[in-house]
Amino acid sequence: MSGGTLHQLFEDRVRTEPDRTAVITDRTRLTYQQLDARANRLARHLAETVRLPTGHLVAIRTLRTPDVLVAVLAVLKAGGAYAVVGPDQKAHPVVADARAVITHQRHLARIDDGNDRPVITLDGDAAAIGAHSGEPFDEPPATGWRAGVLLTAGTTGVRRPVGISHERLRAAYDAWAEVYQLDAEGRVLVTAAPDTTEFAAGWIRVLGSGATLVLSRREAFTVADTDPLTVARLLDDARNVSGLRLVAVGGEQLRLDEQVRLERRLAPGARLINVYGPTEVAGCGTWFETGQLGGPVNYPERHAYLGRPFPGCKAQVRKGQIWLTPPGGGDAVPTGDLGRQEGEGPLEFRGRMAHRVKVAGRTVDTYRVEAALAGHPRVGEAVVGEDGGRLIAYVLPAPRSASPGAEALRSHLTGVVPAADIPRTVVPITSLPRNSAGKVDRKALVRPPIRSATSRSAGSKGGGVPLTAEDRVVAGWAMAFPVAIMSFFFTDTIWPGSTDLSLVPDPWAWFFRGLYVAESLAFAAGVGFLIGGRRLMPSLGRPKGLTTAAHLAIVYLLASWWPQDNLYRLAAKQDWPRQAALVYTFNVPLMIAAGVVATWAVWGALKSDPEDQK
């Protein structure tokens, strides 16, 4: 096993291959020597600015690459430990322990927590940083101090910090090197966000092996280190497939049928491995290739295999829970994941303990229900949760498929899972909310409303049936048609003379009649969207308050045309007080509403801050 510090692993490559490209982003290419020189300058500036005891924490509050890599290496060279915490994660507990912060100027307002600690801005302090020497930095002795603090994915709550030593990360690198078999000729695409364990593991694997870290999907790559959702999109482009020799998939677990389908899309000889490694073991736990199976598996859509431990690691199943021994040895840690293993066969994933729910006094294995739902040919993904004592299934249709109906899904589950575990509420969705690690954010799933006990479906004799998003859409549009008829015929009653066309010659009169019909339809659409649209919008993962504002803004944009045009037609052009009142009553709110909708539409891109990915 290799010894020394984590950054020494990188520096060894700097000495042997200084001119080889180390990292590529959308706008930057750095050789190993250039990346090392930048890190050395920042390390000297950090040592000069901050009295940093060995192993003490520096928070890196930016996600912009390659600046994150420069900052990580600089902190390590200066004898500190790093933690990458996105600027949007306000007041994260790990930041309170930081002796200093490295960031960019545009993030200062967002990360200000009132703590009087040194802050280095990579852009604002660029001149001072650049004045230092880029020559090798003399590091303090490496005697067991921690290298960093990694954050868990946060699928069960707040992202928890986990301290990781240099020794553990070096041992993890040795394990990865044996399985991945990367070499200096590799071009490795890493798609995880810089504040995730997956990214930390990715850059260590790549830069430790002397390969090129690719952080732009516009560039060619020979290895893809990614998540299940992204790998499917990457393989849709034939140009990516032809040069691929290895695909490593982490984050969410791959079902066996998914892994087999992905393997069939690769070129002959290319490998696909499913990687499992919680933060507690530095992202290095087990790996699975389909060749580890002894033969065919019945119902592959119901199985997700984690495979064998990485070299130097151990995996055990204790009372149904998976325990992992980290690379380099140490105490086994519980993962919170459930598993099973038959003999010497590969370890199988059986869901998370935290995802099991209580309904009517009994525990429901949601993973079993989700796996059964995934077996339906028209289901791409499914998540099962509980709310108000009822089971809810969120169903994402398979590509190029329509969402199956609730009754069809319940029929599909009958005889496969216990009758009491069959969800009575099925919510079709267009996407699943995910966190920065690519895992499903179950807390962001919007719970559909529950009808009161007095509410009855047509012809029902029992209790009320939960009103799903699909129900509300149908109800909204069912109401829209009579509203359109009513608004069209009652326009002259409400605004006498507003639609008088007696003095307008044909064919121009017909153009205005068409306009009146369109206004009535827009008003009706607004009413329909008011009733049915709100339940569909949260599935896109925007903040609740912004989604509510966007819902009302869309309603206003549709419904306001009918009253405003009629009022404008009745207002004299020289009646300036009325004209001004109409402008501020209708036109200004229309502009505001359009801005709210635009913000809601691009919120995902704004939140991820594209500048940080350059």
Side-chain angles (χ1 to χ4, degrees):
M1 182 177 69
S2 59
T5 62
L6 180 61
H7 51 286
Q8 283 175 335
L9 182 65
F10 164 74
E11 290 167 346
D12 289 343
R13 299 299 178 182
V14 175
R15 284 189 288 271
T16 57
E17 298 281 353
D19 297 325
R20 185 176 295 278
T21 301
V23 59
I24 300 174
T25 70
D26 282 334
R27 64 180 184 182
T28 306
R29 289 173 181 260
L30 293 176
T31 65
Y32 274 82
Q33 188 174 52
Q34 289 170 333
L35 178 58
D36 188 55
R38 287 194 183 187
N40 290 334
R41 292 188 182 97
L42 180 57
R44 286 188 167 86
H45 184 74
L46 183 63
E48 180 183 277
T49 307
V50 183
R51 291 184 178 180
L52 189 64
T54 300
H56 278 242
L57 194 66
V58 176
I60 300 171
R61 301 301 308 273
T62 183
L63 300 180
R64 182 174 176 175
T65 54
D67 291 347
V68 168
L69 290 171
V70 172
V72 167
L73 290 168
V75 171
L76 295 174
K77 287 169 178 283
Y82 77 90
V84 181
V85 183
D88 288 320
Q89 298 181 43
K90 297 181 180 178
H92 192 283
V94 73
V95 179
D97 296 331
R99 294 293 293 262
V101 174
I102 298 175
T103 186
H104 286 96
Q105 284 186 310
R106 68 176 180 277
H107 299 316
L108 288 175
R110 279 191 285 178
I111 68 173
D112 184 11
D113 58 2
N115 193 311
D116 186 20
R117 62 167 66 87
V119 176
I120 297 172
T121 58
L122 297 173
D123 43 2
D125 297 324
I129 296 170
H132 292 285
S133 170
E135 294 301 309
F137 186 82
D138 294 330
E139 62 179 286
T143 54
W145 43 282
R146 65 179 176 175
V149 174
L150 305 180
L151 301 180
T152 61
T155 53
T156 58
V158 177
R159 300 184 67 187
R160 187 167 50 84
V162 177
I164 305 293
S165 67
H166 281 266
E167 289 81 2
R168 180 153 296 173
L169 290 173
R170 289 289 299 243
Y173 169 76
D174 290 335
W176 289 323
E178 186 171 333
V179 172
Y180 281 69
Q181 300 176 4
L182 298 179
D183 56 38
E185 300 302 320
R187 293 169 60 92
V188 185
L189 174 69
V190 175
T191 63
D195 60 345
T196 62
T197 300
E198 289 79 5
F199 182 86
W203 78 258
I204 293 170
R205 283 192 289 262
V206 178
L207 298 186
S209 62
T212 298
L213 178 62
V214 180
L215 300 175
S216 170
R217 300 185 195 183
R218 303 173 188 172
E219 297 288 334
F221 51 90
T222 60
V223 177
D225 193 334
T226 186
D227 58 83
L229 187 66
T230 305
V231 70
R233 295 172 178 171
L234 292 174
L235 296 183
D236 285 338
D237 190 338
R239 294 172 298 179
N240 295 334
V241 176
S242 60
L244 268 177
R245 61 180 181 85
L246 172 66
V247 177
V249 182
E252 292 282 6
Q253 278 63 53
L254 272 178
R255 300 193 313 266
L256 180 57
D257 64 319
E258 293 176 318
Q259 186 158 351
V260 170
R261 281 198 298 268
L262 290 171
E263 283 182 343
R264 289 171 178 167
R265 298 173 65 181
L266 297 177
R271 301 169 60 205
L272 189 145
I273 61 176
N274 188 10
V275 180
Y276 171 69
T279 304
E280 289 80 0
V281 293
C284 185
T286 65
W287 63 284
F288 173 71
E289 284 184 291
T290 54
Q292 295 175 12
L293 293 171
V297 175
N298 294 327
Y299 305 109
E301 69 277 0
R302 301 180 191 176
H303 300 272
Y305 289 99
L306 304 179
R308 302 169 181 167
F310 277 96
C313 303
K314 294 180 181 178
Q316 298 172 296
V317 178
R318 303 179 186 176
K319 295 182 179 180
Q321 184 180 184
I322 300 171
W323 289 65
L324 294 176
T325 300
D331 295 332
V333 295
T335 63
D337 292 329
L338 298 162
R340 70 181 179 189
Q341 187 170 20
E342 297 181 1
E344 298 298 320
L347 179 65
E348 182 179 355
F349 178 77
R350 299 298 296 169
R352 286 193 62 81
M353 296 176 66
H355 294 164
R356 289 186 165 183
V357 298
K358 286 274 190 180
V359 176
R362 61 188 301 274
T363 300
V364 177
D365 183 356
T366 56
Y367 178 77
R368 182 179 179 183
V369 182
E370 292 166 356
L373 284 170
H376 192 286
R378 287 165 57 191
V379 172
E381 292 183 86
V383 174
V384 175
E386 178 273 339
D387 184 51
R390 58 176 174 160
L391 280 177
I392 305 172
Y394 298 86
V395 177
L396 182 69
R400 296 176 291 279
S401 296
S403 180
E407 287 303 322
L409 290 176
R410 285 192 280 266
S411 176
H412 173 75
L413 293 175
T414 301
V416 179
V417 301
D421 292 358
I422 297 177
R424 305 309 301 171
T425 302
V426 177
V427 181
I429 55 177
T430 56
S431 64
L432 285 168
R434 298 180 182 273
N435 58 27
S436 59
K439 297 186 177 183
V440 175
D441 185 355
R442 293 173 180 251
K443 293 183 179 297
L445 290 166
V446 177
R447 308 305 192 207
I450 304 175
R451 281 186 186 169
S452 65
T454 57
S455 176
R456 309 284 190 218
S457 62
S460 70
K461 297 181 181 180
V465 177
L467 189 62
T468 66
E470 187 178 40
D471 295 330
R472 285 184 170 265
V473 172
V474 172
W477 289 113
M479 180 173 285
F481 181 73
V483 168
I485 300 297
M486 180 193 70
S487 62
F488 182 76
F489 284 103
F490 282 88
T491 298
D492 276 328
T493 302
I494 301 172
W495 298 285
S498 66
T499 60
D500 182 11
L501 298 174
S502 58
L503 299 179
V504 180
D506 289 335
W508 309 112
W510 286 103
F511 283 99
F512 287 104
R513 291 189 183 98
L515 174 64
Y516 303 155
V517 171
E519 289 170 356
S520 296
L521 290 174
F523 179 75
V527 173
F529 196 79
L530 177 66
I531 298 169
R534 177 67 177 85
R535 302 310 306 171
L536 296 178
M537 296 173 70
S539 66
L540 297 176
R542 272 57 165 180
K544 184 177 180 181
L546 179 61
T547 297
T548 299
H551 172 239
L552 296 177
I554 293 171
V555 171
Y556 185 82
L557 287 168
L558 290 168
S560 66
W561 292 106
W562 181 52
Q564 78 158 326
D565 268 11
N566 285 289
L567 288 169
Y568 268 118
R569 285 193 289 269
L570 294 174
K573 292 189 178 297
Q574 304 302 320
D575 188 348
W576 304 120
R578 178 173 291 189
Q579 290 285 348
L582 290 173
V583 166
Y584 280 91
T585 301
F586 290 107
N587 291 32
V588 172
L590 282 173
M591 301 174 198
I592 296 172
V596 170
V597 173
T599 302
W600 179 83
V602 302
W603 179 259
L606 291 175
K607 187 176 180 182
S608 64
D609 198 347
E611 282 296 309
D612 285 334
Q613 305 304 317
K614 295 180 180 179

